[in-house]
Amino acid sequence: MISRVRGELVSLDVDRVEVAAASGVVYEVHVPLTVFNRLPAVGSDLELLTAYIVRDDTPSLYGFLDAQERSLFSRLLTVQMVGPRLALAMMSAYHAGRLARAIAERDAKVLIQVSGLGKKTAERVILELADKVRDIAVAETVDGPEARQATEAVAALTSLGYTFAEADAAVREVAGATGAESTEEFVRIILARRGPGRDR
């Protein structure tokens, strides 16, 4: 398993890069466009988090700049109709947080904008992953110490009858300004502002 590649960036192409490790080995790594656009110039030092995939006896490396990107890529591959090429296309069309948000909000219209992703596959992705990418969707807009509280607060609010979109909006509205020391306090502040969920 190759989980990271670190070395000098020696070539850049639209969907792949080459990284020369200190050992002398040069790794070819496929990257989504959202990663490619954030890479440094050729000759710079670079570290990529990688996913090592073997398909049809051919090994390939896929590279990302942060753990959430790699995690979302791996989760996309758990959907039977999604292979590495399609997962890469999805992550080229939208950065990880936006893509996770579209899936969590069950927004098929956003997903079918991806080249090669039809309505049936988009619906399958939503069915299998909507509840499994909420942490990435929430983390898109809430960083730092409150990120974990925000993720847990969204889960608590959905259990109270909020939709994911409603819970996420409520959390983002108060994130950074609550001073809450626990998830329970975070949720209480939101409920005081917004009231109980629709089912209550």
Side-chain angles (χ1 to χ4, degrees):
M1 176 64 70
I2 302 172
S3 63
R4 292 173 188 258
V5 170
R6 181 187 297 130
E8 179 186 349
L9 180 60
V10 295
S11 77
L12 277 167
D13 205 344
V14 175
D15 65 345
R16 69 194 68 197
V17 300
E18 289 184 326
V19 180
S23 63
V25 175
V26 178
Y27 294 94
E28 180 184 76
V29 186
H30 299 274
V31 296
L33 190 59
T34 50
V35 169
F36 177 86
N37 289 336
R38 290 150 52 211
L39 293 176
V42 169
S44 301
D45 290 335
L46 175 67
E47 179 176 275
L48 292 172
L49 304 181
T50 55
Y52 180 75
I53 308 294
V54 179
R55 290 290 171 100
D56 299 322
D57 296 325
T58 301
S60 298
L61 279 175
Y62 297 84
F64 308 94
L65 290 172
D66 64 55
Q68 288 187 340
E69 290 173 333
R70 181 171 63 179
S71 178
L72 181 58
F73 180 77
S74 297
R75 295 181 209 186
L76 289 171
L77 294 181
T78 65
V79 180
Q80 187 174 8
M81 302 168 74
V82 178
R85 284 177 180 262
L86 183 54
L88 207 66
M90 294 172 72
M91 297 193 68
S92 289
Y94 302 106
H95 64 79
R98 180 67 186 95
L99 179 58
R101 182 174 297 281
I103 296 170
E105 293 179 352
R106 303 177 186 273
D107 193 344
K109 290 182 180 179
V110 170
L111 297 185
I112 61 176
Q113 300 304 311
V114 177
S115 177
L117 180 61
K119 182 179 179 182
K120 184 177 180 180
T121 303
E123 290 174 345
R124 188 70 183 182
V125 169
I126 288 170
L127 177 66
E128 295 192 22
L129 296 183
D131 294 331
K132 298 178 181 178
V133 298
R134 292 179 175 180
D135 57 328
I136 298 173
V138 173
E140 177 193 12
T141 52
V142 182
D143 297 319
E146 279 195 329
R148 182 183 58 79
Q149 285 185 1
T151 301
E152 293 175 353
V154 168
L157 290 170
T158 55
S159 72
L160 293 174
Y162 282 76
T163 65
F164 172 79
E166 291 168 343
D168 180 63
V171 167
R172 286 187 285 118
E173 182 180 299
V174 302
T178 65
E181 296 183 358
S182 67
T183 300
E184 292 75 13
E185 188 178 351
F186 201 118
V187 171
R188 281 199 298 272
I189 292 170
I190 293 170
L191 293 178
R193 294 189 181 196
R194 291 221 172 193
R198 295 186 302 178
D199 295 340
R200 293 295 179 106

